[in-house]
Amino acid sequence: IAGITQAPTSQILAAGRRMTLRCTQDMRHNAMYWYRQDLGLGLRLIHYSNTAGTTGKGEVPDGYSVSRANTDDFPLTLASAVPSQTSVYFCASSETSERNEQFFGPGTRLTVL
Amino acid sequence: QQPVQSPQAVILREGEDAVINCSSSKALYSVHWYRQKHGEAPVFLMILLKGGEQKGHEKISASFNEKKQQSSLYLTASQLSYSGTYFCGTEGTGYALNFGKGTSLLVTP
């Protein structure tokens, strides 16, 4: 692995189902982030983690949860998916949380029907 | 709280210049700029810090007016490769970024 990876690349999901989007980085970055991107709304922060073991809420956290059990992984879980969660999800990481370049993963396109 | 970007979209011919603006209603300590090409992930351009320091890879110039809580990105002598959507980001809780809605730039031959 080189950089930051996300899985799956795309997914179609029935409303009400549980889904976990995976994100892994091999850069030993302390900080990780989840964004959703919707047309006309730009990138909106869902949750973040400044270091392993800690997480924080972003601008649009409702309906999503995260965990950061180790440095490399930062999964995003939709407990019960709804159609409004149809979006492209990007995971990102940075060396530290404070004023550093963020590296983005390739994204996951999620459709909730 | 999302920063506000302007314009929403701009179309240029190769070689022309463009300015993209980013403003915030709250005090800024830094402004981050990213570019996203269609179907790809956003890519870092630069960070402008309070006090005048800049960190970045690209030969792109930008300004940061702390008093006015504004930043501008200057794209001079534009090339086809400059096409994409540009996002500015400002610090929110825990240094995580709040991004603007983006400015779509199309450079034509």
Side-chain angles (χ1 to χ4, degrees), chain A residues 63-104:
Chain A
Y64 305 95
S65 63
V66 291
S67 61
R68 188 87 185 277
N70 58 61
T71 297
D72 299 343
D73 301 300
F74 191 42
L76 177 74
T77 298
L78 290 68
S80 179
V82 295
S84 62
Q85 291 178 311
T86 293
S87 188
V88 178
Y89 291 85
F90 287 101
C91 179
S93 71
S94 61
E95 188 173 343
T96 65
S97 58
E98 188 172 347
R99 296 162 195 153
N100 275 300
E101 171 181 359
Q102 291 188 18
F103 294 82
F104 282 78

Side-chain angles (χ1 to χ4, degrees), chain A residues 7-104:
Chain A
T9 302
S10 64
Q11 181 77 43
I12 299 173
L13 189 67
R17 297 296 295 269
R18 180 184 179 89
M19 176 74 192
T20 295
L21 307 185
R22 300 185 298 280
C23 175
T24 300
Q25 53 99 3
D26 66 353
M27 298 176 282
R28 308 302 294 170
H29 283 174
N30 285 311
M32 297 187 76
Y33 314 88
W34 274 106
Y35 298 92
R36 61 176 289 175
Q37 186 171 35
D38 305 288
L39 195 63
L41 297 178
L43 292 156
R44 292 183 293 169
L45 181 68
I46 305 171
H47 284 286
Y48 66 94
S49 169
N50 286 340
T51 189
T54 68
T55 63
K57 293 183 180 180
E59 183 186 355
V60 288
D62 294 342
Y64 305 95
S65 63
V66 291
S67 61
R68 188 87 185 277
N70 58 61
T71 297
D72 299 343
D73 301 300
F74 191 42
L76 177 74
T77 298
L78 290 68
S80 179
V82 295
S84 62
Q85 291 178 311
T86 293
S87 188
V88 178
Y89 291 85
F90 287 101
C91 179
S93 71
S94 61
E95 188 173 343
T96 65
S97 58
E98 188 172 347
R99 296 162 195 153
N100 275 300
E101 171 181 359
Q102 291 188 18
F103 294 82
F104 282 78

